């Protein structure tokens, strides 16, 4: 046992070592921050010995976000990670049930498409088609063709057939007739057409790939039909989330609006197709509707009994009139249509889930933590099976192995893919990627949850992300960074992108406050529902009361307060600068300042009317009272704005309106509009980088905080 003197020396040595380590690690730079790799897919092979991983990263030269596939192997020869595809346009990998093939979607251009280009498009992007590649090696090859993109696909249970859905294809004659009559005019709604589900036998696809290439006729070149396919079913709506039952007798899918706008509840339902009936019928099958509700279902998976379809709901409610709840897990009986919610006693949202035999393995949120749980029956309670504090996501399991793959991250640990031997040994999982190793070599900010009391006595929580080397320091300049959604939450995870850039703001000297205001997930449906019908004023109170509490506790410097956010975070920023002048500077993006025009433009109008208690003519006073534009004369805060030129969800006109108002009032402001971008800045990585670069400059200029780098 060491003596007290020896113990003191040991403590000093350890402390000095930690200090030296922190001093030797450089801080993150802007360029490094935007070099992060995110994971779009994690798919465990049927035998559990391989994992296909989808990655997304910036390609600065091509000015695109590359989406590539990687293959991790773990067998008798050892473990390895190799790049499986390199086109930069590959996603949504699916193993064949026998493990011999990997099918995926790719937007790479074919040789004929490249030769037809007249604009020299260097981004090399085509129409999404199905490709096959062997995990044993070889080049990927297309098995579908045409101008119609594949919306969804699924393997048959015996691995011998690919089912896929596209918009109802037209012949060359139909295309020519339409172009002759309408030229480039857009027939909004009236020209829409639904989807067809096709079947393509694997043997046919392989034979066509192996056959010598022949010069196609003009009719064949213009045809959107893949040779050798047969029609399984048709739908007047778009087909998504196509899945095949384990016994191979049924398909299931979720429908959605053809124009991708949430306007009618009936557009979003789960359907089944009985494949036995298809084989006997002289004409394509009419899918059988399973659900009848006011909810947007998604993330479909067949249960092992081939009798129930599991799903989650992103917006809406399966039990009655429309209301926005947290994402819960449900199952529907494929015969009776009876719907049952799983683990009703769990108050948080189900983020991701996978099936391991008869057990559901899921990642689910409680407050600022997203942990892994398991449950074996709908009436059962979720049982926590993870031990690491942080965020688990992208869960994948195998049909013939107990292994589980997942993505894990925390505030001080960048995201990587991990592999565990089974769901009871997650704390022994090993990382199988190291794409974000650079971040482990930098001095990262530390963070912790923070709670305060709202004016109505409710407890509200958020995250505090401290500047590197200043964990739990006092009297810090504070940047309130508001998450979007609003049905989302900030927590114990590391993010590095244009939308979630708290780590970079903290590195530049700011204490970042991320409030999970009323309307956020992870605190129960009641907490989330309290945003209705006070869409900005109730969350606004929560946020300002959090700022007050941090100032009172001596954590935040009241003379150096900033605010910002994107999407719904932009809504809230626009509102808050009309409610107080305490913020010295604001950065906002893709946020509305009024609700009437936004209701008309938005592609998610379900929740617009719901949050405000009706459509514009049904609740005109509330549309007025909850809009920043009618109080904009109170603003004194220098405000930086960004927007995507092609944004439908929050039209760029909202940003022009805010800019014009601030300009007319003489308030310092700046607006950046990014061409070709929608609501998310996912087209050109330079846009997101420029956004954050300029926002940091704006914070420094008006917030009075010296640049961190």
């Amino acid at each position: 046992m060491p003596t007290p003197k020896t113990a003191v020396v040991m403590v000093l040595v350890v402390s000095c070592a930690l200090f030296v380590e922190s001093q030797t690690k450089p801080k993150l730079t802007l360029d490094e921050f935007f070099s992060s790799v995110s994971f779009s897919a994690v798919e465990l092979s049927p035998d559990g010995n391989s994992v296909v991983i989808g990655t997304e990263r910036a390609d600065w030269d091509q000015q695109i976000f590359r989406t590539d596939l990687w293959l991790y192997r773990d067998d008798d020869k050892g473990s390895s990670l190799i790049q499986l595809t390199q086109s930069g346009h590959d996603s949504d990998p699916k193993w064949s049930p026998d493990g011999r093939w990997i099918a995926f979607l790719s937007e790479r251009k074919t040789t004929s498409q490249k030769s037809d280009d007249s604009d020299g498009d260097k981004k090399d992007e085509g129409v999404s088609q199905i490709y096959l590649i062997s995990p044993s090696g070889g080049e990927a090859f297309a098995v579908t063709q045409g101008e119609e993109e594949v919306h969804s696909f699924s393997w048959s249970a015996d691995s011998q057939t690919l089912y896929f859905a596209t918009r109802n294809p037209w012949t060359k004659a139909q295309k020519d007739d339409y172009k002759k009559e309408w030229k480039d005019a857009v027939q909004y709604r009236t020209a829409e057409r639904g989807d067809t589900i096709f079947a393509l036998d694997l043997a046919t696809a392989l034979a066509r790939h192996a056959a010598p290439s022949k010069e196609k006729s003009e009719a064949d070149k213009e045809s959107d039909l893949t040779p050798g396919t047969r029609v399984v079913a048709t739908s007047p709506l778009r087909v998504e989330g196509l899945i095949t039952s384990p016994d191979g007798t049924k398909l299931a899918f979720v429908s959605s609006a053809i124009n991708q706008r949430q306007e009618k509840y009936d557009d979003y339902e789960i359907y089944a197709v009985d494949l036995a009936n298809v084989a006997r019928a002289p004409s394509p099958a009419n899918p059988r509707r399973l659900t009848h509700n006011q909810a947007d279902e998604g993330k479909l998976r067949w249960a092992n009994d081939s009798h129930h379809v599991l799903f989650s709901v992103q917006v809406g409610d399966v039990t009655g009139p429309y209301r926005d709840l947290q994402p819960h897990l449900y199952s529907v009986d494929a015969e009776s249509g009876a719907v049952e919610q799983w683990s009703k006693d769990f108050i948080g949202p189900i983020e991701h889930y996978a099936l391991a035999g008869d057990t559901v393995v899921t990642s689910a949120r409680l407050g600022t933590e997203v942990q892994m749980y398991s449950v074996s029956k709908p009436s059962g309670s979720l049982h926590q099976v993870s031990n690491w504090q942080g965020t688990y996501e992208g869960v994948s399991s195998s049909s013939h192995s107990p292994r589980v793959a997942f993505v894990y991250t925390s505030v001080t640990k960048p995201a990587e893919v991990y592999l565990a031997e089974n769901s009871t040994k997650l704390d022994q999982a090993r990382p199988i990627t190291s794409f974000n190793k650079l971040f482990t070599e930098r001095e990262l900010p530390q963070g912790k949850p923070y709670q305060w009391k709202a004016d109505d006595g409710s407890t509200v929580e958020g995250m505090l992300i401290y500047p590197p080397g200043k964990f739990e320091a006092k009297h810090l300049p504070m940047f309130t960074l508001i998450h979007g959604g609003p049905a989302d939450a900030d927590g114990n995870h590391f993010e590095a992108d244009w939308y979630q850039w708290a780590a970079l703001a903290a590195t530049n000297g700011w204490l970042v406050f991320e409030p999970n205001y009323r309307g956020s997930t992870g605190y129960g449906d009641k907490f989330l529902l309290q945003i209705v019908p006070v869409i900005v004023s109730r969350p606004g109170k929560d946020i300002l009361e959090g700022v007050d509490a941090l100032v009172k506790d001596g954590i935040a410097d009241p003379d150096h307060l900033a605010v910002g956010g994107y999407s719904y975070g932009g809504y809230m920023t626009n509102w808050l600068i009309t409610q107080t002048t305490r913020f010295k500077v604001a950065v906002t993006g893709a946020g509305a300042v009024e609700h009437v025009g936004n209701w008309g433009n938005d592609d998610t109008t379900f929740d617009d009317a719901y949050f405000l208690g009706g459509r514009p003519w049904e609740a005109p006073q509330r549309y007025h009272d909850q809009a920043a534009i009618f109080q904009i004369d109170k603003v004194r805060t220098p405000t930086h704005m960004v927007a995507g030129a092609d944004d439908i969800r929050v039209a760029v006109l909202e940003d022009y309106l805010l800019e014009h108002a601030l300009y007319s009032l003489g308030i310092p402001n700046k607006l950046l509009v990014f061409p070709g971008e929608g609501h998310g800045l996912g087209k050109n990585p330079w846009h997101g980088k420029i956004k954050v670069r300029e926002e940091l400059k704006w914070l420094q200029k008006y917030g009075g905080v010296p640049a961190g780098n």
Side-chain angles (χ1 to χ4, degrees), residues 18-38:
L18 292 173
F19 176 78
V20 170
E21 181 185 3
S22 68
Q23 294 302 303
T24 57
K25 281 188 175 183
K27 293 181 179 180
L28 272 174
T29 66
L30 179 73
D31 290 342
E32 291 171 344
F33 184 78
F34 281 95
S35 69
S36 69
V37 175
S38 61

Side-chain angles (χ1 to χ4, degrees), residues 58 93 114 133 178 186 205 207-208 222 255 257 366 376 382 401 405 417 498 536 551 556 559 569 574 583 606 609 684:
K114 291 178 182 178
I133 191 168
Y178 187 87
V186 176
R208 187 160 60 91
E222 291 288 335
S255 63
L366 282 179
S376 297
L382 293 185
S401 170
V417 180
W498 61 268
V536 290
V551 170
D559 296 324
N574 300 342
F583 296 114
F606 286 173
N684 185 337

